[in-house]
Amino acid sequence: GKIYSNLGAIAEERGNLKEAEDNYLSALELGDEVDEVYFNLSKLYNEQEEMDKAMEMIQKALQTQPNSPKYLDFLLQISIIVQDKKIANETWQALADVNPDNQKLEEYKELVDEL
């Protein structure tokens, strides 16, 4: 699984997004580092502007690691992009709870309020 994860990352760096996606999906089938693979898939779909898939994958990552500031931060960014105020508000609150010192909280709050 780790091998597929690494191959996915290498393919992504080279700009081979389809190959990266295939490798990440293979890693998921093997069940290794599932949350990190979902996060990587979410970033990949975000780069390709497939926001529904990006949202789905980051939410799956958070099912395994619900208090991950990195994952919450990314979900918050995605929810702001797709203008989902409900998810953005919930995610902002969760991020503020787990990472109250986050420098971007104020900036994010303004963006959420503007949705």
Side-chain angles (χ1 to χ4, degrees), residues 16-112:
N16 301 341
L17 301 183
K18 183 70 188 125
E19 184 185 333
E21 178 185 15
D22 291 343
N23 282 313
Y24 288 142
L25 292 172
S26 295
L28 282 181
E29 286 171 19
L30 295 168
D32 290 345
E33 298 183 328
V34 171
D35 59 299
E36 192 65 29
V37 176
Y38 278 131
F39 175 66
N40 288 334
L41 276 167
S42 183
K43 290 192 308 186
L44 192 66
Y45 290 133
N46 179 44
E47 286 170 29
Q48 297 176 61
E49 297 185 5
E50 294 185 51
M51 303 316 287
D52 290 348
K53 285 183 177 178
M55 176 77 83
E56 179 188 348
M57 293 299 142
I58 193 62
Q59 287 174 317
K60 285 186 176 182
L62 279 158
Q63 286 171 0
T64 316
Q65 299 285 340
N67 295 324
S68 164
K70 178 169 78 171
Y71 299 165
L72 287 168
D73 189 296
F74 198 68
L75 175 57
L76 184 52
Q77 290 177 46
I78 301 259
S79 60
I80 289 169
I81 291 168
V82 299
Q83 301 196 327
D84 188 321
K85 188 163 188 155
K86 181 178 182 293
I87 292 177
N89 267 319
E90 291 168 1
T91 308
W92 185 90
Q93 193 56 60
L95 185 60
D97 290 345
V98 299
N99 191 1
D101 299 329
N102 187 320
Q103 301 295 310
K104 295 185 279 187
L105 280 173
E106 279 301 314
E107 181 185 331
Y108 280 150
K109 187 66 178 144
E110 289 174 22
L111 291 170
V112 171

